[in-house]
Amino acid sequence: TTKGKWSNPKKIAALNSSFFDGAATVTGNGNTMYFVSTRNGERKQFDIYVSQKTGKTWGEPKPVSDSINTTGSETTPYITPDGRYLFFSSNGHLGMGGYDIFVSENLGSTWSKPINLGSGINTVNNDTHFQYYPELKKAVFAGFTIQGQKASLDLYQIDMTNFVMPK
């Protein structure tokens, strides 16, 4: 922003495809972007991709590790500012039902096996859009709820004061 005003949006041509591309999250230094795409037409599901910025140019997006991407859908990634932990939702990893929220640690050349955040956060419905704010000791996420003949996607805030990153 400049003096309280947003600049005009600019398409990042290097990252866009003719398929769905969205849900971008960027590391604190602004040089690594994770996003979801259906560009791998063989899978026809959402996968998480990563692109590195050199100078002002974004590099070719590459799928993150197959320890994260499955034949199911991985969506709504959130990378911690230091780039160490990637939170995302998936219906392809073993979970409690629908989309569950997982976390994986960046080990340098690969990612750790994703860990389900468990029943304190995940439900049998779809849980997505997780964002963790360690300095506030809080996280927010979206949860799908069905009550009778009605469904809603609600936002939740959770106290993360005693949260320890799963190993």
Side-chain angles (χ1 to χ4, degrees), residues 43-47 69-74 91-92:
R43 286 188 172 177
K44 303 210 187 302
Q45 301 285 326
F46 289 98
D47 278 337
N69 288 330
T70 67
T71 56
S73 285
E74 283 66 47
N91 66 6

Side-chain angles (χ1 to χ4, degrees), residues 88 90 93-97 99-104 113-123 166:
F88 63 96
S90 175
H93 291 280
L94 184 60
M96 301 174 69
Y99 284 92
D100 277 6
I101 300 167
F102 293 82
V103 64
S104 183
K113 180 180 176 186
I115 297 172
N116 187 304
L117 292 188
S119 62
I121 294 175
N122 290 311
T123 67

Side-chain angles (χ1 to χ4, degrees), residues 78 80-81 130-140 156-163:
Y78 172 75
T80 54
F130 185 87
Q131 301 223 344
Y132 178 40
Y133 301 96
E135 65 283 355
L136 299 175
K137 297 184 167 109
K138 295 185 185 298
V140 293
Y156 295 92
Q157 175 179 290
I158 187 165
D159 181 356
M160 301 290 278
T161 301
N162 298 317
F163 179 70

Side-chain angles (χ1 to χ4, degrees), residues 19-90:
F19 296 93
F20 177 88
D21 301 303
T25 179
V26 182
T27 55
N29 65 11
N31 292 328
T32 306
M33 182 186 298
Y34 296 85
F35 64 96
V36 296
S37 181
T38 57
R39 66 183 63 210
N40 184 349
E42 295 170 10
R43 286 188 172 177
K44 303 210 187 302
Q45 301 285 326
F46 289 98
D47 278 337
I48 299 173
Y49 285 76
V50 61
S51 178
Q52 301 290 331
K53 187 177 182 184
T54 305
K56 293 185 178 186
T57 306
W58 287 99
E60 179 184 347
K62 301 201 180 311
V64 296
S65 168
D66 279 344
S67 65
I68 292 176
N69 288 330
T70 67
T71 56
S73 285
E74 283 66 47
T75 189
T76 62
Y78 172 75
I79 190 72
T80 54
D82 62 5
R84 184 168 178 192
Y85 295 100
L86 180 67
F87 293 87
F88 63 96
S89 293
S90 175

